[in-house]
Structure formats: C-alpha cells, structure tokens
Amino acid sequence: MPSSRTVLISGASIAGPALAYWLNHYGYQVTVVDRLPAELRPGSQAVDCTGSTLRELLQRMGILDDACAHRTGKTDTVFVDENGTQLALMSGDYTGGDVEILRGDLARISYGKTRRLSWPEQVQQVLAETIGTGDASLTAVARRLLVSPRTLQRYLAAADTTWRAQLDLARQHTAQRSDLTSTFALAHRLGYADARSLRRAAHRWDANELCKEKPW
C-alpha cells in the first residue's frame, strides 16, 4: 500500500481533471493547479470523442450526457468562388465528428467531476461496479480504495453510516435497475445466500418506498 495518497497535478485543461477524477476514484487526495486565474479557459479548438472507447470513457466518468448536450453543431462547410457561387460542400456529418465538443467545455465538465467524493459516495461507486460482476466484499472494496478494511469502517462510522448499511443501499440500487425476473437469479447477483434473504431485504426496502414496483 502506498505510503502517501496525495497527488498534485499541474494543468487544469482536459488531461489534468480527467486524471484527477480517476485518482479520486481510487482513493487518492488530489489537488489540481493551473498557471491561469481561477476561471477555466473557454472555447478553443474542438475535441472529437469519436469511437466506442472514448464514449465508454465519458460514460464511466459520468459526463457523456453533458458532453452530448454541449456538442458542436454539425454545420455544413460551403466553398464558394469570388462571385459567391457554390463550388463544393463538405457535410457537417463529416466535419462535426461523433461527440465533438469545444476543449473549454470539456475541460469545464471534467473539472466539475473532480470534486472529492465522501467515503460513502466512494463506496457506492465501487459497489455499483462490482455487485454481480466481481468481489463486493469489505476487503475487496477497501483494497480498491487503498485503505484497510478497519480504516474504511472507521471512515464510514465518521460519516454516520456502516459498511452493512452501504452494502444494503448498493444492493437496493442494483435490484431497482435489474431486469431479472427470477428471484433466485437476482439473489445470486446481489450476493445473497438464497431467495428468502432477498425477500426479507425487499420487504425492508418496500417499507422505505424504494422498490414498490418489484414483484418480490
């Protein structure tokens, strides 16, 4: 385990905030500095996030919708002669890219995601990725966050919550999003020993009016 979990990043354009996001995600304390004043530089050249890999990265960072909302317009480029007669046209579908966004807008959106998450938020983030697909144990989550299980429990207690409560909350959210209709299959995905354990949890969630649409 690293002896230091603090990182200083120089440059608040695109790469700096993106790196800060992922270091935050894995439990590091990150500070981003830039030589310019507090406001980020607007405008500048467009960045084309073309292809499934970049779209997946934006999705995993939680900024794909924002990037699409601020994408540049797909404007046709028209070439004319000295009399204004059109000679050629380049379609905006070609020049506009897939998800093309001004560098300044992408930097601002990325920078907004670098806020230091609370420990419960970090736990929920890891559990959302691991429940049903990997090891969602206390030990595994603590390892992802670069702390010991005991330290993680202490941080959660300081935030007035517990590991058990966070695991239960993550299971709720996963169950709500699941399209599985088999109680047995869903119980297995959520890490319950059997379908009866899931039904008991579902009754508790129903009392909180969180899962009333599910037929458990």
Side-chain angles (χ1 to χ4, degrees):
M1 185 174 296
S3 58
S4 175
R5 296 173 59 243
T6 59
V7 177
L8 176 66
I9 296 175
S10 176
S13 180
I14 296 175
L19 176 59
Y21 171 85
W22 288 108
L23 289 174
N24 275 339
H25 177 69
Y26 286 103
Y28 286 84
Q29 305 261 359
V30 182
T31 300
V32 180
V33 298
D34 196 277
R35 64 178 181 174
L36 294 179
E39 293 186 3
L40 297 175
R41 286 171 288 179
S44 191
Q45 294 296 318
V47 178
D48 184 9
C49 302
T50 297
S52 58
T53 299
L54 287 176
R55 290 181 68 94
E56 175 68 17
L57 177 61
L58 296 179
Q59 181 68 53
R60 291 183 64 183
M61 288 181 66
I63 63 174
L64 178 59
D65 290 343
D66 285 337
C68 289
H70 290 83
R71 70 172 70 182
T72 59
K74 293 188 175 183
T75 305
D76 293 341
T77 301
V78 180
F79 298 88
V80 299
D81 61 16
E82 65 274 12
N83 299 315
T85 303
Q86 179 175 320
L87 300 176
L89 181 145
M90 186 178 295
S91 171
D93 290 331
Y94 174 77
T95 60
D98 185 6
V99 180
E100 184 181 82
I101 179 173
L102 293 179
R103 185 204 58 77
D105 288 339
L106 182 57
R108 177 178 50 78
I109 292 170
S110 300
Y111 185 78
K113 295 294 291 185
T114 59
R115 178 183 67 86
R116 174 68 180 176
L117 299 178
S118 68
W119 283 100
E121 288 173 327
Q122 292 183 67
V123 168
Q124 287 302 309
Q125 195 172 62
V126 174
L127 287 174
E129 297 176 2
T130 54
I131 285 182
T133 60
D135 188 353
S137 67
L138 170 62
T139 300
V141 172
R143 186 183 303 117
R144 281 280 300 272
L145 295 176
L146 302 178
V147 296
S148 69
R150 181 175 297 180
T151 297
L152 179 55
Q153 288 179 307
R154 187 170 68 250
Y155 287 157
L156 292 175
D160 198 27
T161 186
T162 65
W163 162 254
R164 187 178 296 275
Q166 291 302 308
L167 179 59
D168 190 58
L169 180 61
R171 283 170 165 169
Q172 282 180 207
H173 293 163
T174 303
Q176 287 176 299
R177 294 190 301 267
S178 175
D179 56 0
L180 293 177
T181 57
S182 166
T183 305
F184 175 81
L186 183 58
H188 177 73
R189 174 175 293 182
L190 297 179
Y192 287 109
D194 49 42
R196 181 179 300 177
S197 299
L198 171 59
R199 292 192 185 97
R200 284 199 299 267
H203 286 310
R204 183 172 64 254
W205 302 338
D206 285 343
N208 292 328
E209 299 185 354
L210 289 173
C211 284
K212 288 189 174 178
E213 305 132 7
K214 297 292 183 179
W216 302 322

